[in-house]
Amino acid sequence: MRVVIQRVSEAAVTIAGTVRGRIGRGLLVLVGVEEADTEADLEWLCGKIPRVRVFDDAQGVMNLSVQDVGGEVLVVSQFTLLASTRKGHRPSYCRAAKPDAARPLYERFVARLGQHLGRPVQTGEFGAMMAVSLVNDGPVTLVMDSKLRE
């Protein structure tokens, strides 16, 4: 699995003009599921994301996690995170899991992340055309890949 994590002061996902998920201060997590992903990939990410220290402490040092600051999390599925641009000019998505394999893993990711966080997370809708709006705070953006463990 590959995720892009953005520290936000607010974020929302809208589907067909209706807001599906909205958060204030917290993390926007874009998630791409790869064909080779397993429960171990999901667990590694769900253990890391709530504890990654990207929020400032009293001294202005990024030393606090989303859990520490009582922040919220919005998770949005995004298969394009697994694009390969190695050949030509049109990205290839052959590493991305097919929807019947990706959807259950994505749904377990959302549930498990909520368990690690200690509260439910907001989401978009798997496979839907979504408009994501955000105010990136910092900006702070991280990429994590469960296969590379970074």
Side-chain angles (χ1 to χ4, degrees), residues 43-53 116 144 149:
E43 283 297 327
W44 184 80
L45 284 168
C46 288
K48 286 286 260 198
I49 293 169
R51 293 169 185 83
V52 68
R53 298 185 303 176
H116 278 272
M144 296 173 91
R149 294 293 198 254

Side-chain angles (χ1 to χ4, degrees), residues 129-150:
M129 180 62 76
M130 296 174 273
V132 179
S133 60
L134 66 132
V135 176
N136 194 324
D137 181 23
V140 174
T141 302
L142 306 174
V143 178
M144 296 173 91
D145 190 306
S146 64
K147 296 293 185 238
L148 302 175
R149 294 293 198 254
E150 68 174 12

Side-chain angles (χ1 to χ4, degrees), residues 59-137:
Q59 289 72 42
V61 177
M62 284 196 289
N63 203 26
L64 301 174
S65 70
V66 70
Q67 285 179 316
D68 296 332
V69 299
E72 300 174 282
V73 176
L74 172 62
V75 177
V76 177
S77 62
Q78 190 172 357
F79 75 93
T80 59
L81 292 178
L82 296 160
S84 172
T85 56
R86 185 171 290 151
K87 295 180 357 183
H89 298 286
R90 190 170 116 194
S92 167
Y93 303 105
C94 61
R95 286 182 42 212
K98 303 290 183 260
D100 2 343
R103 181 187 307 266
L105 200 59
Y106 167 79
E107 289 171 354
R108 288 194 303 276
F109 174 85
V110 168
R112 193 71 179 118
L113 184 57
Q115 289 173 345
H116 278 272
L117 188 61
R119 60 188 169 281
V121 300
Q122 296 287 307
T123 66
E125 181 180 322
F126 184 91
M129 180 62 76
M130 296 174 273
V132 179
S133 60
L134 66 132
V135 176
N136 194 324
D137 181 23

Side-chain angles (χ1 to χ4, degrees), residues 4-20:
V4 172
I5 301 166
Q6 295 180 301
R7 185 180 76 183
V8 298
S9 55
E10 63 184 65
V13 60
T14 304
I15 303 167
T18 302
V19 174
R20 169 65 190 266

